[in-house]
């Protein structure tokens, strides 16, 4: 796994913090190690971006539209509007549960294996969940708020940023949702249509 410049500066913290995390959690070809978790905890989160990150580009705030083959049968028009031509609004509460997402989760051989979520425009990995909690805990929290809800350790900070107003975006300009902290810390309330992309192929 490659670390971003934002997290690389806290490498010295790893030897003191890694022991606080449990066994690594694997997701596909990627592994969340104790060192990775320590790096994320050590960094000042969320990592911020200036307003200019959402400046007008070739297609709204992005360079191109969302993919046409979105996962979980997410609606293309809804996704493109929310990802690229929107700064404040969201898919309706509970939309994520109306897609094929829950069917996908329950149909896997190992339901506890973390799921990777990819930018619906670029295909970059933005989130992996659950990390440090059970799948049921993750689903319960998401259900209680109405949108997929991620915690700091479930965010890929190479490609995710927040603005001063709490807006959560990708580094390429995709609107993702908002950071709505609660008593346990940062909570990234994310539109499923924004993270339903297919994995980017190298």
């Amino acid at each position: 796994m490659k670390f971003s410049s934002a997290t690389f500066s806290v490498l010295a913290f790893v030897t003191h913090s890694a022991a606080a995390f449990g066994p690594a959690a694997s997701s596909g070809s990627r592994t969340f190690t104790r060192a990775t978790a320590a790096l994320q905890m050590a960094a000042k989160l969320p990592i911020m971006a200036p307003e200019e990150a959402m400046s007008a580009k070739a297609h709204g705030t992005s360079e191109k539209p969302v993919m046409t083959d979105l996962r979980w049968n997410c609606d293309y028009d809804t996704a493109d509007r929310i990802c690229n031509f929107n700064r404040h609004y969201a898919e309706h509460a509970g939309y994520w549960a109306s897609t094929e997402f829950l069917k996908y989760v329950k149909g896997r051989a190992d339901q506890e294996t973390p799921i990777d979520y990819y930018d619906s425009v670029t295909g970059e990995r933005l989130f992996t969940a659950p990390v440090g909690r059970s799948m049921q805990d993750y689903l319960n929290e998401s259900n209680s708020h109405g949108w997929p809800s991620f915690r700091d350790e479930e965010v890929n900070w190479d490609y995710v940023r927040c603005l001063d107003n709490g807006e959560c975006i990708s580094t390429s300009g995709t609107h993702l949702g908002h950071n709505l902290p609660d008593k346990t810390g940062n909570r990234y309330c994310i539109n499923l249509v924004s993270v339903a992309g297919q994995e980017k192929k190298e």
Side-chain angles (χ1 to χ4, degrees):
M1 176 179 290
K2 295 182 179 179
F3 300 124
S4 67
S5 58
T7 54
F8 192 79
S9 62
V10 295
L11 276 168
F13 184 85
V14 173
T15 55
H16 300 286
S17 302
F21 295 86
S26 296
S27 179
S29 62
R30 299 181 176 85
T31 301
F32 275 79
T33 63
R34 288 192 298 270
T36 302
L39 280 170
Q40 293 175 329
M41 184 64 75
K44 180 175 174 56
L45 301 176
I47 298 176
M48 306 301 289
E51 175 65 27
E52 289 73 24
M54 295 297 279
S55 61
K57 302 179 182 68
H59 189 77
T61 57
S62 299
E63 292 295 344
K64 58 184 179 181
V66 299
M67 302 175 186
T68 57
D69 56 343
L70 296 173
R71 300 163 78 190
W72 309 307
N73 201 30
C74 286
D75 182 70
Y76 173 87
D77 290 334
T78 301
D80 197 54
R81 182 176 68 254
I82 289 176
C83 290
N84 298 320
F85 298 94
N86 163 64
R87 300 293 307 280
H88 307 290
Y89 298 105
E91 64 197 23
H92 65 78
Y95 173 85
W96 69 286
S98 72
T99 68
E100 296 179 359
F101 174 76
L102 291 176
K103 180 181 178 181
Y104 164 80
V105 172
K106 295 175 181 178
R108 299 181 307 157
D110 181 2
Q111 295 184 20
E112 289 302 314
T113 299
I115 298 170
D116 287 335
Y117 297 80
Y118 301 98
D119 191 318
S120 292
V121 176
T122 68
E124 300 288 2
R125 181 176 60 87
L126 303 181
F127 302 92
T128 298
V131 173
R133 54 178 169 169
S134 70
M135 179 64 75
Q136 194 58 56
D137 286 344
Y138 162 66
L139 294 176
N140 287 345
E141 179 175 54
S142 298
N143 186 59
S144 68
H145 294 292
W147 290 268
S149 296
F150 302 94
R151 296 294 176 168
D152 286 335
E153 60 270 24
E154 296 169 331
V155 184
N156 179 9
W157 293 107
D158 285 341
Y159 297 106
V160 177
R161 297 289 185 269
C162 284
L163 304 186
D164 286 339
N165 64 359
E167 184 181 4
C168 188
I169 65 172
S170 76
T171 54
S172 60
T174 306
H175 172 83
L176 304 176
H178 286 81
N179 178 24
L180 303 174
D182 59 17
K183 62 183 180 181
T184 63
N186 292 315
R187 179 176 64 83
Y188 306 95
C189 192
I190 303 299
N191 296 290
L192 185 66
V193 296
S194 298
V195 293
Q198 301 289 338
E199 180 179 9
K200 181 180 179 179
K201 302 301 181 182
E202 299 298 336

